[in-house]
Amino acid sequence: MSLATERLPESAIGRAAGLLRAGALVAFPTETVYGLGADARQARAVARIFEAKGRPRFNPLISHFPDAEAAFAEVLADERARAVAARFWPGPLTLVLPRAPGSRIDALTGAGQPTLAVRVPAHPLARALLRAAGVPVAAPSANRSGAVSPTTAAHVLDGLSGRIEAVLDGGACAVGVESTVLDLSGPQPRLLRQGGVPEAAQAALIGGLGRPGAVAEGAALPAPGMMRSHYAPGLPVRLEARAVAPGEALLAFGPPLPGAGAVWQLSESGDTVEAASRLFAGLRWLDEEGARRGLSGIAAMPVPDEGLGAAINDRLARAAAPRGS
């Protein structure tokens, strides 16, 4: 069944909140990317997120809240979690914590695991929507599963028009890569996903961060965004490009390499913050423009790991991974 997807202006927060409470799917902006929201308490609404995205059921969702108090009502937060939240919330950081015994969040949101991923976004429109809705909102990125994440309402409509009830248009997202995911469910903090909060800033607060171990094929993932092939355009992506091959488009960082069939500049000045904000829009544009021009792939110039560079390189590695992995 195809739906008539509404494109709502910022003034329509009440309409968007009512749709969420009624079990509808509403995309909305955060400071990272657009999220595809549903009432995290309603099993059917959460299941519809997976259906709309074509998302594997073992990939968990992040629940969004207007403030830390609301988030910590659903999870067990220790001193580390409260210290990190005080420093980085509202902001692009997701915490994975043990589910509280009285949590209202549906099991499918957490992929049936004893932990939940929670976040307080910084985008003022997102927080206003969460306050108006009055419910925890499960929200992965508002795109088809595995595709490039959306940073504008138009991107959302390109992939999900007819599959969701509405998108709340708040303009372009500022950060442009998803939130950092920090697992504090055990004694050793683990960085599960690079993102909008650099690793060094977290480590300065709570010490060294571990990494996740291997996950068995088909098993539940500990956090969103951990599938090897993810954020992938249709054209193949080649990393660490020092030259452009015939028929390639170029994802440039700094002075562009010559000879590309199409060029998207992440940051002429080499600014990783600017590059992060332009990454997904660039992959999407190069994919569409490259296909239109008959190009065979996308060459991505090297990006240093400093600042948000690590998050950018994580996304590029997933975009370049073999499909289905």
Side-chain angles (χ1 to χ4, degrees):
M1 180 182 68
S2 179
L3 301 171
T5 302
E6 296 182 68
R7 186 169 185 167
L8 301 174
E10 293 187 22
S11 58
I13 287 176
R15 168 67 175 161
L19 286 169
L20 286 170
R21 288 192 298 271
L25 300 186
V26 178
F28 61 96
T30 74
E31 70 277 20
T32 56
V33 299
Y34 272 72
L36 178 56
D39 184 344
R41 308 167 307 165
Q42 298 187 39
R44 182 174 177 81
V46 173
R48 286 193 57 217
I49 290 178
F50 292 99
E51 179 184 38
K53 286 177 63 70
R55 184 183 181 93
R57 295 306 199 262
F58 52 80
N59 205 351
L61 307 177
I62 296 170
S63 294
H64 293 69
F65 302 86
D67 52 55
E69 181 181 2
F72 289 158
E74 306 292 341
V75 292
L76 300 177
D78 59 13
E79 291 182 1
R80 299 171 305 170
R82 295 186 182 280
V84 169
R87 172 66 178 83
F88 297 114
W89 278 356
L93 177 69
T94 293
L95 296 180
V96 176
L97 294 163
R99 175 191 288 266
S103 174
R104 305 165 294 162
I105 294 176
D106 184 75
L108 183 57
T109 303
Q113 298 183 90
T115 56
L116 292 172
V118 297
R119 178 161 101 87
V120 178
H123 196 293
L125 187 60
R127 296 183 72 197
L129 174 62
L130 293 167
R131 285 193 295 268
V135 299
V137 174
S141 55
N143 56 288
R144 299 298 295 272
S145 186
V148 179
S149 296
T151 53
T152 68
H155 293 165
V156 176
L157 292 170
D158 284 346
L160 296 178
S161 182
R163 303 176 71 86
I164 66 176
E165 278 77 6
V167 55
L168 184 61
D169 190 347
C173 300
V175 176
V177 293
E178 288 88 347
S179 61
T180 297
V181 179
L182 178 62
D183 182 1
L184 295 177
S185 63
Q188 170 64 51
R190 298 189 302 162
L191 181 62
L192 300 185
R193 183 175 75 180
Q194 297 276 7
V197 175
E199 179 177 356
Q202 302 165 69
L205 192 62
I206 58 173
L209 306 180
R211 294 296 191 274
V215 179
E217 184 69 25
L221 296 170
M226 295 183 67
M227 296 176 69
R228 184 182 171 205
S229 177
H230 202 48
Y231 318 106
L235 292 177
V237 176
R238 181 170 64 87
L239 303 178
E240 299 292 324
R242 308 287 177 176
V244 178
E248 283 188 321
L250 179 67
L251 187 68
F253 182 80
L257 299 169
V263 177
W264 178 274
Q265 178 60 258
L266 290 175
S267 175
E268 184 81 37
S269 65
D271 181 349
T272 59
V273 174
E274 180 186 20
S277 72
R278 291 176 54 78
L279 175 62
F280 288 133
L283 285 173
R284 185 182 296 270
W285 183 84
L286 288 175
D287 193 37
E288 294 172 353
E289 188 66 14
R292 189 182 71 82
R293 299 186 189 188
L295 302 179
S296 58
I298 299 170
M301 291 177 63
V303 177
D305 273 340
E306 288 81 8
L308 290 184
I312 293 169
N313 286 325
D314 173 81
R315 301 312 187 274
L316 286 174
R318 295 175 192 277
R323 303 300 193 269
S325 60

